[in-house]
Amino acid sequence: MTNEHSPPRTHDPAALHAELDAVWRSWPGWRGFVGEVNHGAIGMRFMATAIIYFAIGGILAMLIRVQLANPRAAFVGPDIYNQLFTMHGTIMMFLFAIPMLEGLALYLLPKFMGARDMAYPRLSALGWWCYALGGLILLVAMFAGVAPDSGWFMYTPLSDKVHTPGINADVWLLGVTFVEISAICAAVEITVSILKVRAEGMSLARLPLFAWYMLGTAAMMLIGFPPLILGSILLEVQRAFDWAFFDPARGGDPILWQHLFWLFGHPEVYIIFLPAAGALSVMIATFARQPIIGHAMIIAAIWAMVFLSFGLWVHHMFTIGIPHLALAFFSAASMLVAVPTSVQIFAWIGTLWSGRPRWSLPMLHITGFFLTFVLGGLTGVMLAAVPFNWQAHDTAFVTAHLHYVLIGGFVFPMLAAITYWMPHFTGRRSVRGLGGAAFWLIFIGVHGTFLLMHLTGLLGMPRRVSVYPDNPEWELLNLISSVGGFIMTAGFALFAVDMGLQLFMGRRTKRNPWRATSLDWAMRLPPPTYNLASLPYADMDTDERRLTPSRLDALATKLAMGDGMLAGAPRGVRETLIVDAVSGKAEAIAVLPANTLRPAITALIIGVFFLAMLSGYYWVAAAMVLVIAATCASWIKPVQPADTAYGPVPERIEGLPAAPYHSHGLGWWGSAVLLLANTSLFVSLLFAVAFLAVVAPGWEDLPQESPGIGRWAALLATGAGGALLTWAGLRPQDRSAHRVLAGVGIFAVAGGSLAVFALMGGSPIEHARYAVQGAICAYLVVHALILTTMHLAAARGHRIGVQRAATQGVLAQWHGYTGLVALVGALALAVARL
């Protein structure tokens, strides 16, 4: 049986690969490095950079352990010590863990799903440049002696301008926000790629478990990162312009920062764990030589964790004085999340128990994961009990729990993943001898460092202390932990040597050295930039639960010979398939962008904006906003009218439309996913308003003045503009009258919001009520500017027309969203003034 879209099987394999290599290869020299957008190269960059940051964070940890090895140590002073533990936590959480999972996803997902690249290659490249430059800001500040020093969670009021008057806190707020751009880019990229860019016939039911895990991770990133971004913006605005968001003397509340931070911070643990769990599912199935048992239950457990993780943030705030009913709710939720985690662990154990495990090097690290993560989970259940949490809060016990969970739930799985996919990265086999020794040093060092730290915490040692001369009972425990830390560091160093030997001295490996059954091994090693000479189609079985190593080898041979879809690159452009999100039926041909300098240039301009903010040149930062908007608009190339070909690509290829003519194409999906993150940020802003109105002291101390006719008129104009934009979103049309009404709506929202800000009766410096009103007005004005930029870019590209349904759909989304938030924002502004 032959699929209707499958090509005739008369291809010359050498010619196919030559065509593809000519289209997909990188530019030579430095332009190739700067302009590369291919998912494989960008994914490798993410992982390599993350490993470098991991090494730096590990060195900082050892400096901390040297200081704590003696109760009266003078190795570093308190100021440097504060910078050390702040940078250690910041690097490990923001510059290692999240970018490492991003890199693994970018590198592997197209290979797992039978595609040639991710949905938005330029977005992936922009994400890496933002990550690299944002991390560089933090590192340069550290070497300059002005690193952040208020803890990696930057609690207020310690981090406000009064208590941290230098630029230390600004470095954290601006650098981390710069890096978070990368996380949002990756989340949008991963979500749309999994849903729309995969092999034909790969329905959701046949989606690999790794993709399910990454889809859940991306969903959590889209919802969990915006609260942190909002909190960082508000705190930086308070530090730069003295707006009173977190100052209790002016109607603010420092607890608001904790809520915004932990709305991100606790889902962050599961954001880190889920990709590691996806890698574990792949590796355990391979080494057990049978599919993972309980496939459907694992998928249900993934989404249960996604849902429950957002109900746990107060788990970190049990001691701030919240009501007992809330304590009971969040305590129960914190215990309940152990259930889906246990489902996955028992499924993995059951798979190994019923299979025939091969105990190779990756399995050693997987065993380290089981032993370490389960212990960390048990102490997590202990901390979920409110009475125990009150006793152990902010002690070394919490530090030990955190490291058990993160090292057990992420580091050990990543070590296993690196050893498992290293032949994929390099095309070489491992060098025997060092890998096992490295594992045992790491394993012994981890437990030697953190196991006794639980006892240190139970004996009352608080976190973030550099000396403890009056507590001799902590001395021996800290000395043992310091020795264990250096053993662990030696293990990581030996692991790095082992990987280096494999990279430079390992022998060439065959195509599928582990005899796996997933599509990532259905290509030559190391893989070419285009992954596959032709793509799988519906009649080819790509379900990893039914494939065997021999069937995978046969499938790989067929695809290499060109017996799949989109064989070669005869049209001279980068192509992959767009499929239906549920059924996997092919819908269109995506023409992906080739190498370009635009992502690097855009990231550099964004970096100038952040540096201008950091140095206090706010007029330069304002100018950079306009430059960034113009640069982003330049990403859209003018396209030809519908009656001509789209570049060298015919409108229909093998019966499928080209993506620019597809109504719900990748642009529409990417816009929808980005608006999900945008909604999370706006809801977080409304939460901040509600929290301050209900909880903050002094909110009602302001006199109840009459709003006045002018303010009501401004609110009415904002609401009317929102109504027009909502109507424009519901009725996307390409008519002059429609565009005029949309323009009037944009102008009304921007002008009305500015008028509301000007007439609100007080300054944001005076009181938090005025500050949050100013934040809402700024949010609406920014979105009016975004819509203006989108209209100008669309007009430049001649994209508004009946033949450009995809562009109309994106504009309709942003019209509708901006209209709705303008209506809600106008209502919030009216209520906030009462």
Side-chain angles (χ1 to χ4, degrees):
M1 179 177 180
T2 303
N3 184 276
E4 61 180 352
H5 296 312
S6 60
R9 305 186 178 192
T10 57
H11 301 289
D12 176 10
L16 293 180
H17 290 279
E19 287 176 357
L20 286 162
D21 182 69
V23 171
W24 288 83
R25 66 182 171 220
S26 177
W27 291 330
W30 68 267
R31 293 179 73 248
F33 178 83
V34 177
E36 182 67 82
V37 298
N38 179 264
H39 80 99
I42 299 300
M44 291 289 288
R45 288 185 195 179
F46 264 106
M47 289 186 283
T49 310
I51 290 171
I52 292 172
Y53 282 126
F54 178 75
I56 295 172
I59 292 171
L60 297 181
M62 291 305 97
L63 297 178
I64 293 171
R65 289 312 324 171
V66 170
Q67 175 67 25
L68 294 177
N70 186 282
R72 296 176 180 82
F75 180 67
V76 294
D79 292 338
I80 298 298
Y81 185 81
N82 290 343
Q83 294 185 32
L84 288 177
F85 71 73
T86 300
M87 283 299 295
H88 169 70
T90 300
I91 287 174
M92 290 305 193
M93 297 298 288
F94 295 104
L95 302 184
F96 166 63
I98 296 297
M100 187 71 184
L101 71 87
E102 292 172 16
L104 192 68
L106 292 176
Y107 182 86
L108 287 177
L109 276 174
K111 298 171 173 62
F112 268 105
M113 299 187 300
R116 288 198 174 124
D117 209 326
M118 302 290 280
Y120 312 111
R122 293 182 299 182
L123 192 64
S124 298
L126 174 65
W128 182 79
W129 283 105
C130 288
Y131 161 52
L133 295 176
L136 188 62
I137 291 174
L138 290 164
L139 287 186
V140 170
M142 182 178 68
F143 291 122
V146 289
D149 55 2
S150 302
W152 74 273
F153 31 64
M154 203 59 57
Y155 276 176
T156 57
L158 179 63
S159 57
D160 65 19
K161 199 71 171 179
V162 175
H163 299 89
T164 307
I167 66 168
N168 303 66
D170 300 299
V171 168
W172 191 96
L173 294 167
L174 294 170
V176 167
T177 302
F178 197 1
V179 172
E180 295 311 296
I181 296 174
S182 169
I184 297 297
C185 290
V188 173
E189 177 83 279
I190 291 168
T191 302
V192 179
S193 297
I194 292 173
L195 293 177
K196 299 297 293 180
V197 182
R198 53 184 197 258
E200 187 195 27
M202 185 180 283
S203 64
L204 286 181
R206 299 171 65 182
L207 197 65
L209 268 181
F210 182 81
W212 277 113
Y213 275 104
M214 291 309 310
L215 185 60
T217 301
M220 295 173 71
M221 293 169 70
L222 290 168
I223 300 172
F225 277 84
L228 175 64
I229 294 173
L230 175 68
S232 299
I233 292 172
L234 298 185
L235 183 53
E236 180 57 29
V237 168
Q238 176 171 316
R239 289 179 56 84
F241 306 111
D242 200 27
W243 287 27
F245 294 110
F246 305 105
D247 185 358
R250 294 179 288 166
D253 196 328
I255 299 300
L256 173 61
W257 169 264
Q258 292 194 38
H259 280 290
L260 293 175
F261 182 88
W262 291 116
L263 276 168
F264 147 82
H266 204 92
E268 161 86 342
V269 176
Y270 301 98
I271 289 171
I272 291 172
F273 171 69
L274 283 182
L280 287 169
S281 296
V282 174
M283 293 182 287
I284 288 173
T286 297
F287 292 115
R289 291 181 277 192
Q290 74 163 30
I292 294 290
I293 65 173
H295 185 274
M297 292 179 62
I298 289 180
I299 295 173
I302 293 169
W303 291 102
M305 291 182 70
V306 171
F307 176 78
L308 289 172
S309 67
F310 288 101
L312 308 180
W313 81 92
V314 181
H315 174 99
H316 298 267
M317 303 166 61
F318 281 165
T319 61
I320 66 170
I322 63 176
H324 286 185
L325 182 60
L327 287 175
F329 171 82
F330 287 105
S331 177
S334 300
M335 294 182 182
L336 185 61
V337 78
V339 175
T341 308
S342 301
V343 168
Q344 297 167 77
I345 290 175
F346 281 116
W348 295 327
I349 293 174
T351 302
L352 291 170
W353 188 271
S354 59
R356 295 169 295 157
R358 289 172 290 173
W359 292 95
S360 56
L361 181 58
M363 279 299 298
L364 280 179
H365 293 290
I366 292 172
T367 304
F369 151 76
F370 278 118
L371 296 174
T372 308
F373 183 73
V374 169
L375 288 174
L378 292 175
T379 56
V381 174
M382 295 168 65
L383 288 170
V386 176
F388 182 84
N389 189 291
W390 282 348
Q391 302 302 315
H393 183 77
D394 218 21
T395 68
F397 186 95
V398 178
T399 306
H401 158 72
L402 176 67
H403 283 83
Y404 259 83
V405 170
L406 294 182
I407 294 177
F410 186 75
V411 174
F412 273 120
M414 285 301 102
L415 295 175
I418 291 171
T419 56
Y420 178 78
W421 276 292
M422 195 69 179
H424 209 295
F425 303 149
T426 65
R428 297 180 181 274
R429 302 179 187 178
S430 62
V431 178
R432 294 182 179 273
L434 295 181
F439 163 76
W440 285 111
L441 285 174
I442 295 170
F443 184 79
I444 293 170
V446 165
H447 291 276
T449 303
F450 299 109
L451 183 62
L452 290 180
M453 197 179 289
H454 293 93
L455 180 57
T456 311
L458 292 177
L459 289 175
M461 182 176 181
R463 295 192 286 179
R464 300 181 291 275
V465 298
S466 57
V467 292
Y468 46 97
D470 299 326
N471 300 93
E473 69 274 18
W474 303 339
E475 182 175 359
L476 179 60
L477 297 173
N478 274 302
L479 179 60
I480 295 173
S481 291
S482 295
V483 172
F486 278 93
I487 293 173
M488 176 175 57
T489 302
F492 283 121
L494 193 59
F495 181 88
V497 171
D498 185 32
M499 294 301 103
L501 290 176
Q502 180 174 346
L503 177 62
F504 296 107
M505 299 177 60
R507 293 181 298 168
R508 291 289 178 182
T509 184
K510 56 185 179 181
R511 183 166 58 194
N512 187 5
W514 304 113
R515 307 306 294 156
T517 60
S518 51
L519 284 178
D520 53 316
W521 297 103
M523 56 196 70
R524 73 171 190 255
L525 302 180
T529 52
Y530 48 85
N531 292 335
L532 299 166
S534 60
L535 305 182
Y537 54 84
D539 289 346
M540 292 179 171
D541 195 349
T542 57
D543 192 338
E544 62 186 11
R545 290 170 291 173
R546 291 197 293 265
L547 283 173
T548 63
S550 58
R551 290 178 181 175
L552 183 69
D553 291 343
L555 174 63
T557 301
K558 288 183 178 181
L559 297 177
M561 296 293 290
D563 292 343
M565 296 187 70
L566 300 182
R571 288 161 289 275
V573 291
R574 300 185 179 189
E575 297 174 339
T576 195
L577 280 180
I578 301 176
V579 302
D580 179 76
V582 177
S583 68
K585 181 180 178 180
E587 289 184 338
I589 305 286
V591 179
L592 301 176
N595 301 317
T596 174
L597 300 178
R598 283 189 175 89
I601 294 172
T602 304
L604 184 62
I605 296 171
I606 297 173
V608 173
F609 165 81
F610 281 105
L611 289 175
M613 288 292 299
L614 185 62
S615 57
Y617 291 101
Y618 301 122
W619 64 271
V620 176
M624 285 299 103
V625 172
L626 299 178
V627 176
I628 291 168
T631 305
C632 292
S634 73
W635 284 36
I636 302 176
K637 295 181 180 180
V639 297
Q640 300 298 321
D643 57 352
T644 63
Y646 177 67
V649 182
E651 291 186 34
R652 299 184 66 83
I653 305 171
E654 299 181 359
L656 298 176
Y661 304 89
H662 186 48
S663 59
H664 283 182
L666 296 181
W668 186 94
W669 279 85
S671 173
V673 172
L674 181 59
L675 284 177
L676 176 62
N678 203 349
T679 302
S680 176
L681 188 136
F682 184 66
V683 170
S684 299
L685 179 57
L686 295 180
F687 168 81
V689 176
F691 176 82
L692 292 177
V694 173
V695 176
W699 185 265
E700 298 297 335
D701 291 348
L702 291 179
Q704 299 296 316
E705 301 174 358
S706 174
I709 296 177
R711 180 180 171 85
W712 282 115
L715 288 171
L716 183 61
T718 303
L724 284 175
L725 288 176
T726 303
W727 176 83
L730 294 175
R731 296 176 60 83
Q733 298 177 13
D734 181 36
R735 296 177 182 175
S736 298
H738 184 272
R739 293 198 294 272
V740 169
L741 287 177
V744 171
I746 295 171
F747 179 79
V749 169
S753 300
L754 290 173
V756 170
F757 180 76
L759 298 171
M760 64 185 179
S763 168
I765 297 175
E766 298 174 11
H767 199 275
R769 177 188 289 179
Y770 300 130
V772 295
Q773 291 183 65
I776 294 174
C777 292
Y779 183 88
L780 297 181
V781 170
V782 166
H783 279 72
L785 293 176
I786 291 173
L787 262 181
T788 302
T789 303
M790 292 177 68
H791 274 279
L792 293 175
R796 170 182 173 271
H798 307 291
R799 283 175 168 256
I800 299 179
V802 294
Q803 78 279 10
R804 299 294 181 239
T807 302
Q808 291 183 32
V810 172
L811 284 172
Q813 288 177 349
W814 283 84
H815 284 149
Y817 178 82
T818 305
L820 288 175
V821 297
L823 289 170
V824 175
L827 178 61
L829 289 167
V831 173
R833 187 65 183 85
L834 295 178

